[in-house]
C-alpha cells in the first residue's frame, strides 16, 4: 500500500493534461499504477472509509495547500501552473520536503502546528 507521499507525483502526472478531474478518477488511475488488489482497496480504517481513499485525500489536500493543484469545485481537481512546473522538473518523487519550498505550504504547516497542543512535559 503506497503512503500518501508516494501518491503525490502520480496524482500530479494524472492531472498534467490541465483538465478538471474527479478525485475518484485520479484515485482509480493511481490504484492501477500501483497494481492494488481489491482486498487492498477495500481495507477499512476505524473511521469507516478505506485506507487508500484516506491516503489519496490526504495527498490531494497537501498538493492543494502547496498550490500544485486547485479545487475548481467539490470533488474535482486541476493542475496549476506551479504543478506543471514541478512536473517539468522531471522528479522521481514529490513529498512534503519538496512542498516546503512553497510559502503557502509552510504557512499551512505552521497553522496545523499552532492548532496541535504540545505534548505534556515528561517529568
Amino acid at each position: 500500500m503506497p503512503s500518501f507521499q508516494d501518491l503525490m507525483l502520480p496524482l500530479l502526472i494524472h492531472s498534467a493534461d490541465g483538465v478538471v478531474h474527479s478525485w475518484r478518477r485520479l484515485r482509480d488511475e493511481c490504484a492501477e499504477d500501483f497494481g492494488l488488489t481489491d482486498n487492498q482497496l477495500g481495507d477499512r480504517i476505524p473511521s469507516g472509509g478505506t485506507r487508500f481513499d484516506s491516503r489519496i485525500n490526504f495527498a490531494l489536500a497537501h498538493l492543494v495547500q502547496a498550490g500544485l493543484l486547485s479545487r475548481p469545485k467539490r470533488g474535482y481537481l486541476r493542475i496549476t501552473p506551479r504543478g506543471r512546473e514541478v512536473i517539468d522538473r522531471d522528479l522521481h518523487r514529490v513529498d512534503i520536503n519538496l512542498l516546503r519550498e512553497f510559502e503557502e505550504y509552510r504557512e499551512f504547516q505552521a497553522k496545523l502546528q499552532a492548532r496541535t497542543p504540545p505534548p505534556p512535559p515528561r517529568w
Side-chain angles (χ1 to χ4, degrees), residues 26-78:
L26 295 172
R27 175 200 59 197
D28 292 347
E29 290 173 348
C30 286
E32 187 174 321
D33 289 348
F34 286 95
L36 299 179
T37 66
D38 288 340
N39 283 343
Q40 289 170 310
L41 292 173
D43 183 28
R44 297 242 172 238
I45 55 177
S47 66
T50 68
R51 187 170 314 282
F52 187 65
D53 284 1
S54 176
R55 290 180 183 184
I56 287 284
N57 284 316
F58 204 64
L60 289 170
H62 283 261
L63 293 169
V64 168
Q65 291 299 325
L68 304 182
L69 293 176
S70 67
R71 292 187 190 267
K73 60 183 178 176
R74 184 181 171 110
Y76 290 84
L77 299 114
R78 175 185 293 150

